[in-house]
Structures are given as structure tokens and as C-alpha cells.
């Protein structure tokens, strides 16, 4: 690309051009100001030639034609180095005017970054940057060490109205007001002079001016004088459509008519003047001076001889101090002449000649340590390389060398470094080196904030134009620029940069910088009074949980200040503060399922369904229920939720404060819409608000909020601490029938901002309250309800149900039911999830005095059980109904069965008394959480009583596992009429303390006796009194009261539940025993003997087995000692008997065999060791609680001492008997003893075989059908 056509080339051809000094009289300016223009402003549009086409010959004999040429006109007072403060004000003015002229709509959304990347280079960067950069370059104009800003010519301008015009021309140039460059010797005062006489045609004809022009030519020469007539429009003002002066008049107002008295003739005269001045005077003058200077330089400096002379002459100057400026050289010095030659050649387009001279003088400046001059020459060398389009590396090297040299000079070279950097940047941009250009922009940032802001913004666009685009650096530099603009009160520029940065960080995880941008841009909009847009951006930083507490307070405070300044309440869709946890959204409503407490809704629907399964009508018998009726009447809403008019729908949703500072939330309520059933279209539209744009959705919500006549809403005020989350409970109560849509939620933040949150389609991903909607219901209908007419509704609770109790705690409770409706409910049913804990009593139990009602009565009658179906459903009396003010009370019994956290559910089913209602039945669901603490740990071991039939030893272990309670053990009872229990020892002897303190253990032995009779007798007794058993008191005689009745409700009912919990076969139940232990906590530990009369604990042990593997048991009734005189008779006959008992329900065939030989007996024992039965040693090592260890016979060897003589069985050696079930028989036995001693009478065996009574019956699975039982040791001592 031709360097002349590049932005840098155009800038150089505009900025490095000949300067013309203008001297004028006041009357000249007066005539020009009639056009709102100064004299220079009037000429300036005509000083730029795109095709001047003037031949030029400089150092070579071959001329070339100059096409692009421009003159820069300055008054003599302006030819000086600009004042720093004035220059800064001018730069500030440029930036301010650019911001005011910015026509971009600040209220629109920030541009999308993808659209920005597709924009052209000219569209990305603001156009005023070019103006700013030019002004920045001009801040270092008219430097002493640079000749391209030194005037080439001087134009003296006098008005025809001036007195003695010739003298005025002379006086203008001889005045002391000439530039310091001329007076101080920095430049040659012998410059080209040109004289112009200005005539204002409004002042009269030009005859006088013509005469003066003739006089001027006679005085100053024919070629150097010119007449310029202006303001030729006499009658009317001229409107110039394409006004040429507008670009040169920065401070012009729209009302000003620039050049209004200048017609086409004036235009032509001005053009001719400038054309002649440039082509016939200035260019030839410069051309001639270049040739003269080139000859002088060639004669004195060029060539090998001159170079050696120059180096020799400069030898030793290395020790001279550094010079920070070029004042050490006058215009007549060789170095200045070479610099003038180079600059004139550059301005005339002879870049080769300019480069050679720049190189030549660069060495001199470097040796002389004239660093500012050296840097200036290096700068021009870089620009010359660029215009020659030669070495790119050399050009960049020179620019960087000049830039660094300027920076080394400190403050005196800072502005020159900025100019050098700007030219260097444009050079890099031409080569598409945008990344490198951005780094140079960053390097020329000064401490002055406004200057730095512009440079950083330009650097950001360079990063954007890099390949590939460096978006992070682009956004970061925009933020840096915006911060500086904001500090300099350039608010519009700050908004522009921040808006562009928003598009970069949108959708990125860089939360801190996003917060910074939105916060500051919100403040900027607030400064401009655009509060709506400011609030929009400030809303983005409210939920800044990642920020520090101080920053959060700053954000919230400034946000509320902007809202307050706006003077109105803002309504914000999806306000981020507080955070709405949509996943926590839970809906509780009541259709045919009603709830007694909020906790009931948290139970899984499957739990309720399992309880209600046997209560609600089955599908075939309920073809016309409310579900079918609903689908017939409203087929479109057959999958909608159902609610009842007048009954609240409860919505729970979590509000969370993401900040560390507290916030105030008020007027939290739901947004709902209730339409008529037939108005299907409106309801569907309002339910799908998530698909609407933000503005339309906001408008839709406001319309919905305005109509709340058909339902009532609750409002909640909360205060959230730092990081606190709160589950807000909201309700909506429909008043009429129709379709109810729950659209969203609204709240008020700090009394200034109203927030809206639309549930919309997002709720399809959330969970409704468990079990509260149909299995195939579409997610879109979760928040839509069909409201039906008002129905009766039962309300109920259980009075005095404890939340915490000890295991075994027994209490009398009352169920309270109320129906507020005028219509009655009937056919009530009830079922509990834990019958072991809650038992339904009889209606006559309502007024019982507890615990006196548990004591055994004198008159015993068969108990009357409540009407309970086989599936555990309790049926209330058929004639019972609940209506209006009538209160239904029903007794309940509570027992804490086992330790742990128990979830207790109760369901009450009832039907509508009004047959016209669309809903046939409803259910009341009640839920309670119980904590049951350990109390007494009770275990039982049962073993046969030695040498006694149908008697057992019961070993009871008790441990008090409470933390601090002392408990008194009152009574132990057996269940069933075929058992009797008694203490083995007096209670005073074994339990003197009468109570168990926390952590104490206690053991006690009882004798258990079986009283089983014939099966027919037992069955008749059990059918009338199934729980009647025996009791034993465990308190001293003086403390005894009436025993507790374990055969009646509630103890008997709870015991039945325990037996069902430990389900066991009938055969096992026949050989087991159940225990109930009654205890009471003491009032206080100081009185160990005084129990709390109002608290009773019951502990149940079920199916404690007494059975063994052998159904046959026996007892040998023989004397222990016998005296006999063997001197009289040589042998002694001893008679005794054996009692045999059949404990099975089968007939037993038993063969009893006596064995005289010990060896045979031992052999028999060895053979039958695999089926050992009978009495044996009981091992107590294994501790199985609440179990009976059914004993097995253990083979014991004979303990006869060697000195004992043998004995013989003198009776029958084999006896066979047949035993009926549960019967006994006796067998007589006899032995003959021949000498005194100790004899073991265990040398016998019983072979038995069980036979079913009927052919279809079977022997119990745990009992062997046949076996052999060996005799157990029975010692007889015979004394002489």
C-alpha cells in the first residue's frame, strides 16, 4: 500500500508541511469577522492542495512533480511552544465536545461482542480519536530543534482602510511581537515575505485599493504584492450548503453563518492568492534553499575528508554534559543547517535527500549528547523510512530509539515521546501489528488521567483488532479507560467504554470485573439522571456473594441511593436479591386429601396410600366419583390439580440472602390469576409467561397483580441476616370456582424495589410436594388448579400426645375432630401406621381415670373390643356424624413400644353428607414425630426346673438405660390361663432398694408352672379370657396396691400388637410364654419408694420358648437314703416310681428299659449320643435375651466309686406305655442292693415314638418324631 494513502502518510502530509507566519492589522480582522471568521480561518480551506502539480528540483538535476501540498498558517503570536495548561484544556475540550456530540443511544443494551467483531475498523474506533491525536501532536509544535515548524514565509496583511498602508507593512515586520524563534536565533530571520492588501467591498469600490496596490508594488516589488477583495455579497447573506470553513471552526455555533458575505468571486480570489503564494513563491523558495544548503553541506560535511575532520574536531566532546534541548545550536550552525535541509527536503517529498541528511546530523547530535535533537532526528528518520516504504525494521528501530531517548529526558521530553509514540503506533497499524501498537499506547499513558484514559481506550481497540482478537485485554483496557474517564467527570465517555466492556464479560465467570463494570456504569447513569438504566446495571451486582462485606455494603447503599433519587418505586423482573431457590419450591394443597398439620405434607405419598388402600372405595364401586366427574365436566383439565374454594393452597419457597450484610424483605406474596372455568385461553396464556419477552412478561405480571378480587393472598415480612436462608410460607385462598394459575412471587426490597419472579416453565424441572400430583401429570400443569365449590372438611388433632417419651410409656389420649361446615360428614374410618404405638379405644373409655382404669376389677367379664376390620381399619359407629359446632371426641391409647425416632401417621376417612358435591369422600392425614428414649431393658431365660414336671425356672434381667430416671418395678404378669408364676425368693430379700437408678442392673428368678389341661377345656377358657394369666407383685407388701389388669384393654391390646410384631407359628406359641412387666418412674431420687402415680410403663416379652427337642419328660421319685442291716439279710429291695409326661399334642408310645451292666449302658450312651435327650447340665454362657433355652440331655458318665458293689433291677426290665397328649403316667421300679454304698440309678433308657392323633395331623417341625432318652443321675445312699 502506498504510504501516502495510509493514515500515517496523510497525517504527515498534513502536520509536517511549510508554516506561513501571518502579520495583520486589526482592520483586516474586522473585515473578516463579518463572516464569523478570522483571516487565517478564511484562508485555511484553500491551503490544502491535493493536486498542485508543481515541478520541483532539489539535489538532483532531474525534477519531479509535487502533487500533495499544504500550507499551515499561523499568526505571529501563535508561533511559539504551546503552554502546557492551555494544551491540556484544549485536549479536554476536544474530549468533552466529542462526548457531547456522541449521538449513540446510551439507554440501549450494550452491543453484542459478536457484532463488534464483525464491524469494520473504522466503525470500531470513535472518529474523534483522530482529532485528539492531532491536537496531542500539536502540543509540541514550534520546537527549537525541529525546522518543519519554523516559518518558511511571512505574509503581511493590511486593510485598504488602514491609514498609510505602506508604513503599516513595514511596521508589522519590525515590531517586537515577532516569534521568539526569530528573535532568539533559533531560525534564520531572512525568510520569504509576501504582502497582501485586503479590501472590503462593503466599504466601497476598489479604486482606492488598486492605487495602494500599485504603490505596494513600487515599494516591495512587483511579484510579492497581492490584492484580495472580500465580502462581495452586497444585498443578502449566502448560505453555503457544503461550508468549507466548518472543519476549521471548532467553536462555531449553529446560528453562526460562516462566510455569509463571501460569494463565488471571493472564493476564486482566495484560491488564486493561495495558489500563487504556494506555487510561485513558497515552493520555489524552499526548492532554492534546499539546493543552496545541499551545496554547503556537501562542501563541508560530505566526503571522507570532511567526515574525518568533523570527527577530529568533535573529539573529546564525550565528556561534555548532556543537553536536554537543542538550544546549544544556532540557525547558522552546520547542524542546524543540515536539519533545515532535511526537513525542507521532507516537506518537498524528497525523502532520499532528507534521510541522508538526517543520518548525517544524527551522529553529530549523539556525539554532542544533544539528546533531544538526536531523538528528533531519529524520529524523522523512522518517518522517512516509512514514507520511502523501505526497511520496516529500520523504521521501527528508529522510532523506538527516539521514543526511549525522549523518555530518558524526563518531563522535558515526555510530550515529544507521546507524539513519537502516536506516529509509531500508526506505523504499526499500517502493518496490522495491532498487538504491538497497543503496547505502545500503554507506554505513552501519562500520569494525567484524561490523557491516559484516551490512550487506554485506543489500546483496547488495538487488542480487539488483533488476530486473533484478544478479548480479555480488550475488555480490561476498556475498564481501565472507563475508570479514568469517570474520575475526570467524562461520564458519557465512561459509559461508552463500560458498555463495550459489558459485552466482553457477559456470560463469563469473571465475576469481580463484571461487578466493577456494572457498578460504575450504574453510577454514571445516575450522574446523568438516567436512573432507569442505572438501576438496571446496579441490579447485576446486588447478589455479589463473592465480594467482601464492605463492598457489598457499598453496592447496596449506592443502589438504594439511585432508587431514592429516581423518586419512584422500581419493579424488577427476576430481582437477584434475595436469591430465589426455585428447587426448594413446594406446593401443599388439599383435594380429597386434607392435612392436619404442615408436617403431614412432608410424608411420602406412598406411605399415605398404603394406609388408605383399604379405606377408600375401590375403582369398580366408585365409577361416579369426583375424579370421573371432573374429567367429564372439564376434559381439558383432567390432569390439573384440584383444590376447594375457601381452602388455602400453601407455597413454600426458600429466600436466601447471598450477602454478608442483613437485608429487609417485605410484602412477600404470590402472583396468581383466577379465571372462570370456561375462560381457557386466558388461563393458558398466563401460565406460559416464561416464553414472553422481559418487557411483555413484566407487563403481563402487572396486569395479573392488579386483579385479586377472586382470591386472597398472604403477605410475609422477613429480615435476612448475612448468608441466611429462610423458607417463606405463602398462601392463596380462592373464593370462587374456576381455574387458578400460580404465576410467580413478588416482594419488596428495602421498601424501594419490587421484585418479581415468574415460575413459568422453569417449574417443570422442580419438585412438587411429594405425592401431591398425579403420576402422569405434565410439568406445565403443576401450578394450575381447578377450583371446585366449598366442601366439608374435618379438622383434628390428638390431645396431649407427647413428643418425647420413655420406652414402655403408657398414656390415655383423646382424638378431637371438628367440622366447621354446615354440611355433615359420615361413615368415618380410622387407621394408624403403628398400632404398637397408638391403639383405638372404646367410646366408654373417654372418661376413664388414668391410671386407675388399668387396675384389675373384682368382677371380670369378657372384654369388648372396638369394631376393627381384619385390615386394621377402625370403623366408627355408622350413625355417627360430625357437623357444625358438634365436637367429636374419641379415646386413644398410646404406648411407646420401642426406642428411636418414630414417624406416626393417622388417616381418617369420611364421606360427604351432601350427595350433590362432586367429591364423594375425603381423608384427613395426621402426622406426628415421636422421640422414644430407652428405659428398661428386660430379658428372660427359661430353663426346666430340675426334678419337677411342668415347672421352669425364669431368669429375668433388667437394666435401667435411662440417663437420669429412677424406675420402680411393680408387677410381672404372664399371659394365658395355662401359666402360673411365683417368686423363687421373697422380693425383700432379693430387691431391698425397691427401685433401679439410672444405669443399674437387676436379676431375679421366678418359678413358672404349666397349668395346661385338656385341649377342649383350654380352648373354652381362652376364647372367653384370652389374656387372663397370673401376676406377681415386685413391691413390698406394704406398698402393694391393686394389681394391673393385663387381660383387658389397653394392656391386652398392646400385647396383641407385640405378638403380631413377633409373628410365630401355632406350634411354637403352644410351647412359649408371654410376659408383661409393669413399672413406674419415681417422682424424685430423694424419695426412692414413692412412684409417680400418673405414669405407667409396660414392657412386653412375647414367645419366650419353654419347648425342647424331646416331648417326653420324667421324674424318678426315689428315696435319697436307705438304712439296711446286711448282717441279717444279704440284700435290700428298694421300691420307687417314675412319672412320665407327654408335653406334645400327639400320642406317645414309650418303652422304658432297665440296664444292669454299666458297660452296656455306656455303649448305649455312645450309640445314642447323636440324639441326646432328657435332663442335662445347662450352660449359661450364651446370653440370648427374651429367649428360653430349651435344654438338651447331656450324657454324663457314672460317678460310682470303685468300692461300690453292683445292684440289679429286680422289677420288669422293659415296660411299654401309651400316653395321650398332655398327660402323665407312673411306672413302678425296684432294685436289689447287696452292700452299703452310693448308687447311681441312671442305668435306664426311654425309647419313644410320637403318633398323630388324626391321620391328617403332623408332629411339630421342631420336635423329633422318635428318639431315645437316657436316664439322668439319681444317687441313692445305702447305709448299714
Amino acid at each position: 500500500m502506498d504510504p501516502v494513502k495510509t493514515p500515517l502518510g496523510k497525517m504527515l502530509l498534513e502536520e509536517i508541511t511549510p508554516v506561513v507566519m501571518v502579520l495583520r492589522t486589526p482592520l483586516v480582522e474586522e473585515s473578516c469577522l463579518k463572516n464569523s471568521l478570522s483571516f487565517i480561518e478564511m484562508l485555511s480551506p484553500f491551503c490544502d492542495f491535493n493536486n498542485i502539480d508543481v515541478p520541483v528540483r532539489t539535489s538532483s538535476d532531474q525534477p519531479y512533480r509535487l502533487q500533495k501540498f499544504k500550507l499551515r498558517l499561523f499568526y505571529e503570536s501563535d508561533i511559539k511552544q504551546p503552554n502546557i495548561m492551555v494544551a491540556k484544556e484544549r485536549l479536554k475540550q476536544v474530549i468533552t465536545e466529542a462526548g457531547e456530540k456522541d449521538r449513540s443511544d446510551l439507554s440501549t443494551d450494550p452491543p453484542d461482542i459478536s457484532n463488534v467483531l464483525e464491524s469494520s475498523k473504522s466503525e470500531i474506533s470513535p472518529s474523534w480519536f483522530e482529532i485528539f491525536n492531532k491536537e496531542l501532536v500539536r502540543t509540541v509544535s514550534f520546537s527549537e530543534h525541529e525546522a518543519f515548524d519554523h516559518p518558511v514565509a511571512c505574509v503581511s496583511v493590511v486593510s485598504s482602510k488602514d491609514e498609510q498602508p505602506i508604513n503599516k507593512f513595514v511596521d508589522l515586520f519590525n515590531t517586537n511581537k515577532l516569534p521568539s524563534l526569530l528573535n532568539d536565533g533559533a531560525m534564520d530571520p531572512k525568510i520569504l515575505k509576501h504582502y497582501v492588501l485586503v479590501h472590503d467591498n462593503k466599504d466601497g469600490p476598489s479604486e482606492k485599493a488598486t492605487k495602494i496596490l500599485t504603490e505596494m508594488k513600487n515599494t516591495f516589488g512587483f511579484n510579492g504584492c497581492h490584492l484580495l477583495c472580500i465580502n462581495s455579497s452586497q444585498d443578502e447573506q449566502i448560505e453555503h450548503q457544503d461550508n468549507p470553513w466548518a472543519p476549521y471552526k471548532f467553536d462555531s455555533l449553529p446560528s453562526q453563518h460562516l462566510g455569509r458575505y463571501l460569494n463565488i468571486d471571493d472564493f476564486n480570489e482566495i484560491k488564486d492568492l493561495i495558489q500563487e503564494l504556494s506555487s510561485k513563491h513558497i515552493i520555489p523558495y524552499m526548492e532554492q534553499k534546499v539546493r543552496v544548503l545541499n551545496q554547503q553541506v556537501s562542501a563541508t560535511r560530505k566526503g571522507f575528508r570532511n567526515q574525518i575532520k568533523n570527527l577530529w574536531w568533535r573529539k573529546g566532546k564525550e565528556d561534555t554534559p548532556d543537553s536536554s534541548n537543542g538550544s546549544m545550536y544556532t540557525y547558522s550552525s552546520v547542524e542546524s543547517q543540515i536539519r533545515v535541509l532535511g526537513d525542507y527536503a521532507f516537506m518537498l517529498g524528497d525523502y532520499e535527500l532528507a534521510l541522508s541528511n538526517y543520518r548525517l546530523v544524527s551522529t553529530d547530535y549523539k556525539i554532542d549528547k544533544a539528546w533531544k535533537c538526536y531523538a528528533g532526528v531519529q524520529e524523522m528518520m523512522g518517518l522517512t523510512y516509512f514514507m520511502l516504504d523501505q526497511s520496516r525494521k529500520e523504521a521501527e528501530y528508529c522510532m523506538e530509539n527516539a521514543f526511549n531517548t525522549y523518555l530518558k529526558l524526563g518531563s522535558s521530553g515526555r510530550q515529544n515521546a507521546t507524539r513519537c509514540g502516536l506516529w509509531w503506533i500508526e506505523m504499526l497499524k499500517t502493518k496490522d501489528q495491532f498487538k504491538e501498537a497497543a503496547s505502545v499506547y500503554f507506554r505513552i499513558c501519562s500520569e494525567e488521567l484524561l490523557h491516559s484514559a484516551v490512550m487506554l481506550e485506543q489500546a483496547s481497540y488495538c487488542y480487539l483488532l488483533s488476530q486473533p482478537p484478544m478479548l480479555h485485554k480488550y475488555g480490561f483496557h476498556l475498564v481501565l479507560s472507563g475508570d479514568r474517564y469517570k474520575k475526570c467527570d467524562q461520564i458519557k465517555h465512561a459509559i461508552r467504554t463500560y458498555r463495550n466492556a459489558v459485552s466482553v464479560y457477559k456470560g463469563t465467570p469473571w465475576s469481580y470485573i463484571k461487578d466493577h463494570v456494572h457498578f460504575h456504569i450504574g453510577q454514571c447513569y445516575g450522574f446523568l439522571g438516567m436512573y432507569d438504566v442505572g438501576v438496571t446495571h446496579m441490579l447485576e451486582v446486588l447478589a455479589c456473594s463473592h465480594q467482601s462485606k464492605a463492598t457489598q455494603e457499598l453496592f447496596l447503599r449506592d443502589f438504594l441511593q439511585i432508587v431514592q433519587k429516581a423518586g419512584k418505586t422500581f419493579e424488577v423482573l427476576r430481582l437477584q436479591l434475595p436469591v430465589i431457590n426455585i428447587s426448594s419450591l413446594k406446593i401443599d394443597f388439599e383435594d380429597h386429601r386434607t392435612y392436619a398439620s404442615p408436617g403431614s405434607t412432608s410424608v411420602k405419598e406412598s406411605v399415605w396410600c398404603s394406609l388408605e388402600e383399604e379405606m377408600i372405595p375401590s375403582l369398580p364401586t366408585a365409577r361416579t366419583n369426583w375424579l370421573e366427574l371432573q374429567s367429564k365436566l372439564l376434559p381439558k383439565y383432567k390432569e390439573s390439580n384440584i383444590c376447594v374454594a375457601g381452602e388455602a393452597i400453601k407455597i413454600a419457597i426458600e429466600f436466601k440472602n447471598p450477602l454478608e450484610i442483613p437485608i429487609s424483605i417485605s410484602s412477600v406474596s404470590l402472583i396468581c390469576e383466577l379465571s372462570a372455568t370456561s375462560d381457557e385461553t386466558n388461563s393458558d396464556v398466563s401460565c406460559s409467561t416464561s416464553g414472553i419477552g422481559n418487557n411483555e412478561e413484566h407487563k403481563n405480571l402487572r396486569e395479573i397483580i392488579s386483579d385479586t378480587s377472586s382470591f386472597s393472598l398472604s403477605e410475609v415480612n422477613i429480615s435476612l441476616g448475612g448468608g441466611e436462608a429462610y423458607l417463606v410460607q405463602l398462601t392463596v385462598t380462592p373464593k370462587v370456582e374456576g381455574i387458578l394459575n400460580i404465576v410467580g412471587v413478588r416482594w419488596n426490597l428495602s421498601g424501594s424495589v419490587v421484585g418479581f419472579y415468574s415460575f413459568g416453565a422453569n417449574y417443570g424441572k422442580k419438585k412438587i410436594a411429594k405425592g401431591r400430583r398425579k403420576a402422569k401429570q405434565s410439568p406445565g400443569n403443576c401450578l394450575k388448579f381447578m377450583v371446585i365449590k366449598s366442601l366439608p372438611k374435618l379438622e383434628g388433632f390428638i390431645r396431649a400426645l407427647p413428643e418425647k417419651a420413655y420406652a414402655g410409656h403408657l398414656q390415655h389420649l383423646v382424638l378431637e375432630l371438628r367440622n366447621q361446615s354446615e354440611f355433615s360428614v359420615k361413615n368415618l374410618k380410622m387407621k394408624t401406621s403403628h398400632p404398637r404405638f397408638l391403639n383405638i379405644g372404646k367410646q366408654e373409655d373417654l372418661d376413664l381415670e388414668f391410671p386407675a382404669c388399668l387396675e384389675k376389677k373384682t368382677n371380670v367379664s369378657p372384654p369388648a373390643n372396638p369394631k376393627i376390620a381384619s385390615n386394621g381399619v377402625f370403623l366408627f359407629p355408622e350413625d355417627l356424624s360430625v357437623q357444625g359446632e358438634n365436637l367429636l371426641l374419641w379415646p386413644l391409647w398410646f404406648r411407646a413400644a420401642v426406642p428411636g425416632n418414630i414417624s406416626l401417621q393417622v388417616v381418617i376417612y369420611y364421606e360427604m353428607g351432601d350427595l350433590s358435591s362432586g367429591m364423594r369422600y375425603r381423608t384427613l392425614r395426621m402426622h406426628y414425630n415421636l422421640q422414644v428414649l430407652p428405659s428398661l431393658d428386660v430379658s428372660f431365660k427359661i430353663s426346666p426346673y430340675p426334678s419337677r414336671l411342668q415347672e421352669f425356672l425364669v431368669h429375668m434381667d433388667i437394666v435401667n438405660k435411662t440417663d437420669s430416671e429412677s424406675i420402680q418395678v411393680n408387677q410381672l404378669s404372664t399371659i394365658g390361663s395355662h401359666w402360673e408364676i411365683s417368686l423363687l425368693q421373697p422380693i425383700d430379700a432379693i430387691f431391698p432398694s425397691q427401685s433401679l437408678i439410672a444405669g443399674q442392673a437387676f436379676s431375679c428368678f421366678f418359678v413358672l408352672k404349666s397349668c395346661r389341661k385338656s385341649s377342649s377345656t383350654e380352648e373354652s377358657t381362652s376364647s372367653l379370657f384370652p389374656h387372663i394369666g397370673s401376676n406377681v407383685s415386685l413391691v413390698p407388701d406394704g406398698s402393694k396396691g391393686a394389681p394391673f389388669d393385663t387381660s383387658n384393654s389397653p394392656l391386652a391390646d398392646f400385647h396383641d400388637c407385640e405378638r403380631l410384631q413377633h409373628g410365630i407359628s401355632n406350634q411354637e406359641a403352644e410351647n412359649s410364654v408371654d410376659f408383661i412387666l409393669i413399672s413406674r418412674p419415681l417422682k424424685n431420687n430423694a424419695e426412692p419408694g414413692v412412684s409417680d402415680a400418673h405414669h405407667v410403663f409396660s414392657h412386653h416379652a412375647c414367645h419366650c420358648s419353654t419347648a425342647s427337642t424331646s416331648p417326653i419328660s420324667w421324674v424318678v421319685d426315689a428315696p435319697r437314703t436307705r438304712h439296711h442291716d446286711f448282717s441279717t439279710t444279704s440284700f435290700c429291695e428298694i421300691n420307687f416310681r417314675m412319672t412320665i409326661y407327654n408335653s406334645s399334642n400327639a400320642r406317645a408310645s414309650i418303652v422304658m428299659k432297665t440296664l444292669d451292666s454299666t458297660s452296656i449302658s455306656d455303649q448305649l450312651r455312645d450309640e445314642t449320643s447323636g440324639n441326646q435327650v432328657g435332663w442335662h447340665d445347662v450352660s449359661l454362657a450364651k446370653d440370648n435375651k427374651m429367649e428360653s433355652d430349651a435344654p438338651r440331655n447331656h450324657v454324663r458318665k457314672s460317678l460310682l466309686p470303685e468300692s461300690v458293689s453292683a445292684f440289679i433291677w429286680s422289677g420288669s426290665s422293659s415296660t411299654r406305655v401309651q400316653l395321650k397328649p398332655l398327660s402323665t403316667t407312673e411306672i413302678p421300679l425296684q432294685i436289689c442292693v447287696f452292700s452299703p454304698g452310693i448308687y447311681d440309678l441312671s442305668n435306664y433308657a426311654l425309647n419313644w415314638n410320637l403318633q398323630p392323633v388324626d391321620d391328617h395331623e403332623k408332629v411339630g417341625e421342631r420336635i423329633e418324631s422318635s428318639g431315645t432318652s437316657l436316664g439322668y443321675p439319681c444317687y441313692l445312699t445305702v447305709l448299714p
Side-chain angles (χ1 to χ4, degrees), residues 547-820:
Q547 297 284 1
S548 64
K549 184 177 180 180
T551 304
Q552 293 173 3
E553 291 176 344
L554 174 65
F555 286 177
L556 184 58
R557 182 180 65 249
D558 282 24
F559 168 73
L560 295 178
Q561 286 178 354
I562 293 179
V563 172
Q564 185 178 6
K565 290 178 181 179
K568 63 179 182 178
T569 300
F570 284 88
E571 296 179 345
V572 181
L573 187 64
R574 295 184 182 90
L575 179 62
Q576 296 184 19
L577 196 66
V579 175
I580 307 299
N581 183 9
I582 189 64
S583 63
S584 68
L585 181 63
K586 179 182 176 184
I587 305 176
D588 294 331
F589 64 95
E590 296 178 331
D591 40 28
H592 71 288
R593 303 157 293 187
T594 63
Y595 298 86
S597 63
S600 303
T601 62
S602 62
V603 180
K604 292 182 179 179
E605 181 69 12
S606 58
V607 176
W608 295 120
C609 291
S610 63
L611 288 175
E612 298 171 356
E613 185 177 3
E614 301 296 334
M615 301 175 67
I616 62 176
S618 59
L619 185 60
T621 62
R623 300 299 295 178
T624 59
N625 64 7
W626 64 273
L627 291 171
E628 187 179 33
L629 180 62
Q630 171 200 347
S631 62
K632 288 180 179 179
L633 295 178
L634 300 170
K636 183 169 183 178
Y637 301 104
K638 60 184 179 181
E639 292 190 357
S640 298
N641 299 310
I642 307 298
C643 66
V644 180
E647 297 182 7
I649 299 174
K650 301 176 182 178
I651 304 292
I653 188 167
E654 184 182 84
F655 279 44
K656 183 177 181 180
N657 179 11
L659 308 180
E660 298 179 22
I661 58 177
I663 59 176
S664 175
I665 310 297
S666 60
S667 302
V668 184
S669 64
L670 295 173
I671 304 174
C672 302
E673 180 184 25
L674 181 59
S675 58
T677 306
S678 59
D679 190 9
E680 299 174 358
T681 305
N682 293 339
S683 62
D684 288 345
V685 170
S686 62
C687 190
S688 59
T689 54
S690 62
I692 306 175
N694 287 342
N695 294 334
E696 188 175 353
E697 183 178 2
H698 190 190
K699 180 179 179 181
N700 191 10
L701 289 176
R702 294 191 62 182
E703 292 177 355
I704 294 174
I705 292 170
S706 62
D707 183 14
T708 60
S709 59
S710 56
F711 53 85
S712 60
L713 298 170
S714 66
E715 285 193 357
V716 178
N717 299 327
I718 58 175
S719 179
L720 295 177
E724 181 183 359
Y726 184 80
L727 192 65
V728 179
Q729 304 287 343
L730 303 172
T731 61
V732 53
T733 306
K735 301 177 182 179
V736 296
E737 298 178 65
I739 301 300
L740 176 67
N741 287 317
I742 301 178
V743 180
V745 64
R746 68 190 299 268
W747 66 94
N748 196 309
L749 174 63
S750 299
S752 303
V753 181
V754 177
F756 300 96
Y757 189 93
S758 176
F759 297 144
N762 291 331
Y763 187 68
K765 304 177 182 179
K766 315 308 176 210
K767 294 183 179 179
I768 200 167
K770 296 182 179 179
R772 300 308 311 281
R773 73 183 201 202
K774 305 174 185 63
K776 295 184 179 180
Q777 187 175 3
S778 62
N781 292 329
C782 295
L783 296 166
K784 183 163 63 175
F785 297 84
M786 184 179 73
V787 184
I788 62 176
K789 71 175 185 177
S790 179
L791 295 175
K793 174 185 173 183
L794 272 186
E795 299 175 357
F797 69 97
I798 300 175
R799 294 180 182 175
L801 180 65
E803 296 181 357
K804 183 184 295 185
Y806 285 102
H809 176 74
L810 191 66
Q811 187 172 342
H812 181 257
L813 304 175
V814 176
L815 170 66
E816 179 180 319
L817 297 177
R818 185 187 302 271
N819 175 20
Q820 301 286 357

Side-chain angles (χ1 to χ4, degrees), residues 6 116 162 164 259 269 337 352 419 465 540 703 909 934 1074 1081:
T6 63
V116 175
D162 283 316
Q164 298 180 357
E269 283 202 30
Q337 295 296 317
E352 293 286 353
R419 183 192 64 183
L465 294 171
E540 299 293 328
E703 292 177 355
Y909 166 91
D1074 296 350

Side-chain angles (χ1 to χ4, degrees), residues 93 124 156 199 230 235 293 326 365 406 491 602 1032 1192 1215:
Q93 181 182 359
I124 290 177
S156 299
H199 175 69
I230 61 174
D235 300 331
L293 290 176
Y365 287 147
Y406 278 134
I491 304 302
S602 62
V1032 58
R1192 289 192 171 189
T1215 304

